């Protein structure tokens, strides 16, 4: 069964404006860490042309650690702590970037 036409909505997610700043420190040739702040102002979402919800203020303090364990590969770990009511309380990220030469 398909969706009833009466149940279809046009949702326009709010745009955002933001800024980031921080500092990076090299510990040696393989290891580094960063400290930073990220802030986003998320504007109101509209549903069928009507405002739905409020403008959000999302601010987080971020610290990360990177270690290059091979010529073209590294591991990155970051922790972000929410500083505003609208931000997630805690965000953990683990990534393994790999570089390829074409």
């Amino acid at each position: 069964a398909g969706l009833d036409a009466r149940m279809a909505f046009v949702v326009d997610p709010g745009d955002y404006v933001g800024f980031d700043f921080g500092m990076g420190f090299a510990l040696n040739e393989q290891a580094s860490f960063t400290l930073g702040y990220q802030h986003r102002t998320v504007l109101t979402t509209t549903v069928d042309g009507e405002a739905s919800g409020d403008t959000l203020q999302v601010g987080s303090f971020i610290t990360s650690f990177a270690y290059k364990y091979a010529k073209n590969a590294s591991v990155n770990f970051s922790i972000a702590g929410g500083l505003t009511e609208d931000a997630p309380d805690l965000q953990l990220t683990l990534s393994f970037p790999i570089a390829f030469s074409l």
Side-chain angles (χ1 to χ4, degrees):
L3 286 176
D4 188 346
R6 292 174 287 155
M7 295 180 69
F9 299 102
V10 176
V11 178
D12 182 15
D15 294 329
Y16 77 86
V17 180
F19 65 90
D20 303 64
F21 64 87
M23 298 170 43
F25 304 93
L27 301 175
N28 56 39
E29 291 181 6
Q30 286 91 17
S32 65
F33 75 96
T34 63
L35 300 171
Y37 178 75
Q38 179 183 67
H39 193 91
R40 302 286 181 260
T41 298
V42 183
L43 304 176
T44 304
T45 297
T46 60
V47 178
D48 289 335
E50 304 266 334
S52 175
D54 298 324
T55 298
L56 304 175
Q57 300 295 327
V58 183
S60 298
F61 174 76
I62 302 168
T63 185
S64 65
F65 177 77
Y67 182 76
K68 184 175 181 179
Y69 61 88
K71 180 180 177 183
N72 295 332
S74 62
V75 59
N76 298 339
F77 177 72
S78 69
I79 299 174
L83 298 178
T84 62
E85 185 176 318
D86 298 320
D89 292 334
L90 184 67
Q91 183 176 359
L92 304 174
T93 305
L94 180 63
S95 62
F96 297 91
I98 299 172
F100 296 99
S101 298
L102 298 177

